[in-house]
Amino acid sequence: MQDPALEMFSLFEMTPDLVCIAGKDGFFRHVNPAVLKKLGYSKEELFASPISSNIHPEDKEITAKTRAKLLEGKALINFQNRYFTKKGAIIWLEWTSIYIPDKELVFAIAKDVTKRKLAEKEIEAKYQKFKSLATHFKQSIEKDKKSLAIELHEELAQLASVVKMDIDMVSAYLPESEPNIKNRLDHALMASDLLINTIRRISFSISPDMIEDVGLNETIKWLCAEFSKLNSLPCQFDTAYNEVDLTHEIKLDFFRICQQALSNVMYHAEAANVYIGIKEVGNEIQLTITDNGKGFNIQEHVNSTGLTNMRERAASINSRLIIESEPGKGTKVTCIHSKKS
């Protein structure tokens, strides 16, 4: 009586898919003509060597682990690996296999997905190219911002400080008999103090050098403190993650997302308090900005500048941005970054 596995195999003799039966020892037992045609070997050549001898070196380990699970009874579905043909070409095969324990045989069907994989690789290469360009432009913009911030802080702030000193000196030597003039000078002193602080605040918002000096956590703490001073509104910040898991680029984009979210709160939310948190959840680091303000209809503001800026920032670091809000129920902005990205 013919082996049932061989009977099953005979049904696939004419299929363009690659059909084979392999022994538990890792050698081919039977293959259909499509296998010989695709790999370019004769049946004798193919059966003389272990199947693994034609597998791409980078795929051998994962293939061996997957095969071990197959022999334990776990069906293999849509598993992809690379093989060398006799002429040295590399082809991608997608396997679906089952193990027949009582016969100690593996029955497998494979499709040649080389064209699809090459197309995917081409798309990935283009994506990486555009991503590199986007990163370059973003770094260039940040560099320009940093130069502007230095000019603001080092030049304008210093000039304002000199003006303040001059006003202070004039005020000190002004006779008591000139109260109107002295009042104006006192007013100018207050205005110059405000100008200096404003220049420093704008300088920081343009280029937060603190990230490089003290890290993201301390920088966001400072941002929260400044936000609270400006708006008389509590802003709490909590962390539960390891900052070393984030690159400087990711830290900067997390900071920019916080900036934009707080700006939205300041101008639109009418909130009573704000919460910022960064925590590690599994293999993800999540940045969350929550307020208890008036909320909004997301569909009506989906293309607003503020939300678009945050989405683009998140996308540039392969992160997901989730915005949750309803009228009267506040707003929650979450940026989720996978540490494997």
Side-chain angles (χ1 to χ4, degrees), residues 228-247:
S228 295
K229 288 179 186 176
L230 285 171
N231 301 281
S232 299
L233 196 161
C235 182
Q236 180 187 353
F237 176 55
D238 290 325
T239 64
Y241 78 110
N242 190 344
E243 189 171 331
V244 299
D245 290 331
L246 300 180
T247 64

Side-chain angles (χ1 to χ4, degrees), residues 91-102:
I91 59 172
W92 280 91
L93 298 179
E94 186 174 80
W95 294 92
T96 296
S97 308
I98 58 170
Y99 178 57
I100 306 172
D102 58 334

Side-chain angles (χ1 to χ4, degrees), residues 91-207:
I91 59 172
W92 280 91
L93 298 179
E94 186 174 80
W95 294 92
T96 296
S97 308
I98 58 170
Y99 178 57
I100 306 172
D102 58 334
K103 300 295 182 182
E104 295 191 340
L105 295 174
V106 174
F107 181 79
I109 301 176
K111 292 181 179 294
D112 183 356
V113 293
T114 305
K115 288 183 179 179
R116 189 178 81 196
K117 294 298 293 187
L118 291 176
E120 289 174 359
K121 294 289 184 183
E122 184 178 355
I123 292 171
E124 176 66 18
K126 288 181 179 179
Y127 168 76
Q128 291 298 334
K129 178 181 178 180
F130 287 124
K131 183 182 177 183
S132 297
L133 285 172
T135 300
H136 169 74
F137 287 132
K138 189 165 67 172
Q139 290 174 346
S140 178
I141 290 170
E142 289 293 342
K143 184 178 179 181
D144 291 341
K145 285 182 176 180
K146 187 171 184 178
S147 298
L148 176 58
I150 291 172
E151 289 182 14
L152 279 172
H153 187 270
E154 300 297 332
E155 297 185 26
L156 284 182
Q158 288 185 13
L159 287 173
S161 297
V162 171
V163 172
K164 179 181 180 298
M165 290 172 59
D166 289 343
I167 294 172
D168 198 27
M169 182 174 293
V170 171
S171 180
Y173 286 98
L174 192 69
E176 294 293 332
S177 59
E178 301 291 344
N180 290 334
I181 297 177
K182 189 164 182 63
N183 287 339
R184 297 302 299 174
L185 288 173
D186 289 342
H187 183 270
L189 279 172
M190 291 176 58
S192 61
D193 281 333
L194 181 61
L195 176 61
I196 292 168
N197 290 333
T198 300
I199 290 172
R200 287 172 177 166
R201 177 172 56 81
I202 293 174
S203 172
F204 173 80
S205 68
I206 293 174
S207 181

Side-chain angles (χ1 to χ4, degrees), residues 206-219:
I206 293 174
S207 181
D209 286 339
M210 283 178 65
I211 291 178
E212 296 181 4
D213 298 332
V214 298
L216 178 63
N217 291 341
E218 291 301 319
T219 304

